[in-house]
Amino acid sequence: MHTEFLMGNAAIARGAIAAGLNVISGYPGTPSTEVLETTAKVNDGSIYVEWSVNEKAALEVGAGAAYSGARCMVTMKQVGLNVASDPLMSLAYIGVKGGMVIMVADDPGPISSQTEQDTRTFAAFSKLPCFDPSSVQEAYDMIQEAFEYSEKYHTPVLFRPTTRVCHGYASINVKDDSECRKNRPEGFVRDPMKWVIFPRLSFKAHGDIEKRNTELSKVFSESGLNTVSGGEGRKGIATHGISYTYTREALKALDTDAPLFKVGTPFPFPEEAAKAFLEPLDEVLCVEELDPVIERGLVYVCGKYGLKTKIYGKQTGHIPAAGENTCSSVKRAAAEFLGIELPADTKAEDVPPLPVRPPVLCAGCPHRASFFAVKQAMKGVKSVFCGDIGCYTLGNAMPLDMVDTCLCMGAGVNITQGIGRISPDTKCFAFVGDSTFFASAITGAVNAVYNQADMVLVVLDNSTTAMTGHQPHPGTGRTMMGQVVDKVNIEQVLRGIGVKTVETVDPLKLEEAVSTVKRVAEEKGVKAIIFKSPCAVLIKPDKPAVIDSEKCINCKKCINSLGCPGLVIKDGRVSVEESLCTGCGLCAQVCPVNAIGGGKNAE
Amino acid sequence: MQNNILICGVGGQGIVLTSKLIAATAMAKGIPVMSAETIGMAQKGGSVFSFLRLGDDLYCPMFPEKTADLIIAFEPAEAVRMLPYLKEGGKVIVNTHPIMPVTASLKGSSYNGSEMLEYLEKHVTELKTVDGEAACREVGSPRALNMIMLGQAVRTNVLPFGIDDVEDTMKKTVKPQFIEMNSKALRLS
């Protein structure tokens, strides 16, 4: 054992490695991404690591490896589990041989997600055991236990940290290399009665799963994963995950040791442990994020065993239904529940209005140029712009204002077809990034070609998965095993599925980009434009733009049409923020009086 | 003994690295550390903050309002934004150079940080202002801001270690060609 300062996600990766990890696959998504990245970084070559094209592929690759006796982990964010749910639901019936942990990071808030869905609820739906760590140290320890349970009960298990555990750091105890388990998988052993799903097998498996989960509820009750601590009072608190740490801090600050139930395995719910916790209590406050899983579990246990304990939480309005808990919110809720008076909150007065800093496209981002080009080309033409998931969702912000819809990964290309069926007088555009194109927009493009849609598919190809921190994908020609491989060519893919017009253009060449959009949009059927220009964060910036103050008429057209963070107003004049400007040259092409030089055009 | 430290600013200013250097220095002294940082939607330009806790008996990487011993603010408005976290009598170090958000440019706002600094002067008894831009010029690199701020933070005597300890950690962290510049930045008075 030794001490290291680790991010929660790094601790999960290191814990999995200590448990004998053989294979890890996943798809990037905040806040899960660093688990797979850490594994790749510390990999001595003995672990197979891949970014799969999407979560469904990742889970299926993991399943195959686990069938073959490997210990494997599959990583994704909560909405990724929706993509992987088809194989997940069936795999729950088939089971595994090697330990398989599906690491799904939930995002209360939500801070960077479309939904506030709760993987603990998904666990109950899929009937899979679920582990819910509360700290970086516990994440490291618990993931190792998760592998043991998975292998012992021949089932994939879910492991669901939330953002604050994933992105929290702590100095924790980690195993030395010599203490880590080594797993040598025996390889796939043919057994069609086991690995081929048929109704008869599913019927039998269903019964077995229910029996197993009843047993697991008992096993979990007696394990150290669910604990009761604190003193003798008649009022207790039940909690989980990061909220457990908020509660501990709150109880310390309130100087009380109310009975505390920590639920580490929300499914199967540890009924017996819950019953033992509830019996001496009159009232319990459930401090949870996302769904009221523990609250419902306790209400159920009260009903089942005829307990009179009153259960409070989200369903009774004692804890907010939506959003994150915080140290302060939990302290307030706990104090109120325990009848401890807190000094009234004094709100700071006369605070000057603070500048808001909403997420925006970076200075020099090529997506800005792409959106601007389409906007210019379609000026005065009735159009709809369907967006998708990625940095380019930020094209919705003023002044670009170029995202009319955004739903989930790959949805835009199909939504625009649906809009076109009802609004045939509208030019239909779908914007999709390169990684999202591979993840889930190719099927949508095939759908459009087959069903004779009339639309423009705009692929924003910046040669990386930018939003989650620059992961490689099939179009980049790099793998997580360090290989340089053939790139999957987006233009060829589109031509291969029957898109006849596919034009590739550099969006930073504004005039050419605008005329390309105009020309392509005039054609009938499915057309595609690939705006190809690398992510501004990954390339060496050019010299910053220079504004010729004698020519500049201070019309602010550059600022008002582009909204680039590299252009600011200083002492009433448009000026360049040199620490941010990448010299992309887009503003120079927008300026009506040619007052902007420097950047790419500099000699 | 516990220390709650809040580091805040705008994405791209080197806040996360500053937090890591403090953490690593504390660990080298055998002090347990927890921290948490925001990782927002934007690659650059958003409000960023990092909670850092040093000491024994820590449960949670975050801390509630009115409990920070020290706020290290890389931007004036961000200092004001996070000021509710400062405990009574806590210290604030603030870089006086403002960063204008795009939304302000679009609205033709003249945000220049001065209002924020006035507010801080009025409400913080232990305030130390740092002209980050001038200091960076003196050190000779616009990238030195985080080390300049860190050096000032150590001088508050809130942290359980000295400038030599931080310098040792820095030397192990940054590329060899940047050590001299960073040492100069740390030691700039």
Side-chain angles (χ1 to χ4, degrees), chain A residues 453-536:
Chain A
D454 188 9
M455 63 167 286
V456 184
L457 175 63
V458 180
V459 183
L460 304 170
D461 183 0
N462 60 0
S463 300
T464 187
T465 316
M467 183 159 240
T468 46
H470 303 107
Q471 290 74 32
H473 63 63
T476 64
R478 285 175 295 119
T479 74
M480 289 309 269
M481 296 302 284
Q483 303 145 300
V484 176
V485 298
D486 286 343
K487 297 176 185 178
V488 180
N489 184 298
I490 296 173
E491 184 166 335
Q492 282 175 8
V493 169
L494 289 169
R495 289 192 190 284
I497 62 176
V499 182
K500 295 196 175 65
T501 300
V502 185
E503 300 233 12
T504 301
V505 58
D506 178 354
L508 292 168
K509 291 180 176 156
L510 186 59
E511 211 170 303
E512 193 187 332
V514 173
S515 64
T516 304
V517 176
K518 280 186 179 159
R519 191 175 63 245
V520 170
E522 277 305 305
E523 293 181 28
K524 285 277 155 220
V526 181
K527 301 81 64 175
I529 298 166
I530 302 170
F531 281 123
K532 203 169 170 53
S533 182
C535 174

Side-chain angles (χ1 to χ4, degrees), chain A residues 28 66 73 76 78 232 265 277 281 293 343 387 476 517 549 565:
Chain A
M73 182 153 70
M76 63 196 70
Q78 89 283 39
E232 294 277 300
T265 60
F277 166 69
L281 301 177
V293 171
T476 64
V517 176
S549 56

Side-chain angles (χ1 to χ4, degrees), chain A residues 533-574:
Chain A
S533 182
C535 174
V537 177
L538 292 186
I539 51 168
K540 196 169 172 280
D542 273 298
K543 287 207 172 67
V546 177
I547 297 174
D548 183 336
S549 56
E550 283 182 11
K551 282 193 197 163
C552 175
I553 54 171
N554 214 27
C555 67
K556 305 193 179 98
K557 191 180 175 198
C558 51
I559 288 182
N560 292 331
S561 49
L562 300 177
C564 177
L567 292 166
V568 295
I569 296 170
K570 235 181 217 166
D571 305 325
R573 303 284 300 180
V574 175

Side-chain angles (χ1 to χ4, degrees), chain A residues 313-353:
Chain A
K314 285 171 173 269
Q315 298 188 105
T316 56
H318 290 78
I319 297 289
E324 267 198 292
N325 291 332
T326 63
C327 289
S328 304
S329 76
V330 171
K331 190 173 157 193
R332 269 197 308 275
E336 196 174 317
F337 170 69
L338 296 169
I340 299 170
E341 198 119 356
L342 283 182
D345 274 345
T346 45
K347 274 273 161 267
E349 282 161 24
D350 65 346
V351 181

Side-chain angles (χ1 to χ4, degrees), chain A residues 61-293:
Chain A
V61 167
Y67 290 177
S68 310
R71 284 202 161 187
C72 69
M73 182 153 70
V74 184
T75 72
M76 63 196 70
K77 67 183 296 178
Q78 89 283 39
V79 285
L81 190 60
N82 303 337
V83 177
S85 63
D86 194 7
L88 179 84
M89 295 304 289
S90 298
L91 186 65
Y93 284 69
I94 286 285
V96 292
K97 187 159 105 186
M100 178 171 184
V101 178
I102 302 159
M103 203 294 301
V104 185
D106 282 354
D107 184 24
I111 299 170
S112 48
S113 303
Q114 304 100 291
T115 70
E116 272 207 298
Q117 65 190 72
D118 193 324
T119 299
R120 297 177 301 161
T121 301
F122 219 124
F125 176 50
S126 61
K127 306 180 193 300
L128 293 174
C130 182
F131 298 81
D132 185 4
S134 66
S135 69
V136 178
Q137 180 75 62
E138 193 179 31
Y140 178 80
D141 298 332
M142 197 186 250
I143 189 104
Q144 300 178 54
E145 277 195 80
F147 273 102
E148 296 301 324
Y149 278 104
S150 168
E151 212 159 273
K152 183 168 176 201
Y153 290 90
H154 306 291
T155 178
V157 301
L158 292 161
F159 184 86
R160 63 80 77 166
T162 58
T163 306
R164 299 298 176 190
V165 173
C166 291
H167 288 166
Y169 285 79
S171 45
I172 66 163
N173 296 321
V174 296
K175 288 179 175 170
D176 298 330
D177 277 349
S178 59
E179 297 168 286
C180 294
R181 190 181 188 278
K182 297 274 178 281
N183 183 48
R184 294 199 168 66
E186 77 167 316
F188 184 69
V189 179
R190 196 169 177 271
D191 184 358
M193 295 302 288
K194 186 171 170 53
W195 302 123
V196 182
I197 198 162
F198 266 111
R200 200 159 50 100
L201 182 151
S202 299
F203 169 76
K204 183 179 176 299
H206 186 184
D208 293 345
I209 288 167
E210 299 297 349
K211 218 161 88 189
R212 176 202 72 205
N213 283 348
T214 306
E215 183 194 328
L216 264 178
S217 167
K218 290 197 177 82
V219 172
F220 284 160
S221 276
E222 285 157 18
S223 75
L225 294 160
N226 302 290
T227 55
V228 176
S229 58
E232 294 277 300
R234 310 279 292 171
K235 287 181 168 188
I237 296 180
T239 181
H240 72 124
I242 196 73
S243 293
Y244 168 74
T245 69
Y246 300 156
T247 307
R248 288 299 298 258
E249 295 284 353
L251 295 180
K252 195 167 85 179
L254 298 171
D255 195 23
T256 164
D257 70 339
L260 185 61
F261 184 34
K262 173 179 178 294
V263 179
T265 60
F267 189 83
F269 195 71
E271 274 183 32
E272 289 180 3
K275 182 169 165 267
F277 166 69
L278 289 171
E279 271 167 346
L281 301 177
D282 297 331
E283 294 173 292
V284 168
L285 176 69
C286 300
V287 181
E288 291 183 81
E289 286 176 323
L290 305 175
D291 290 347
V293 171

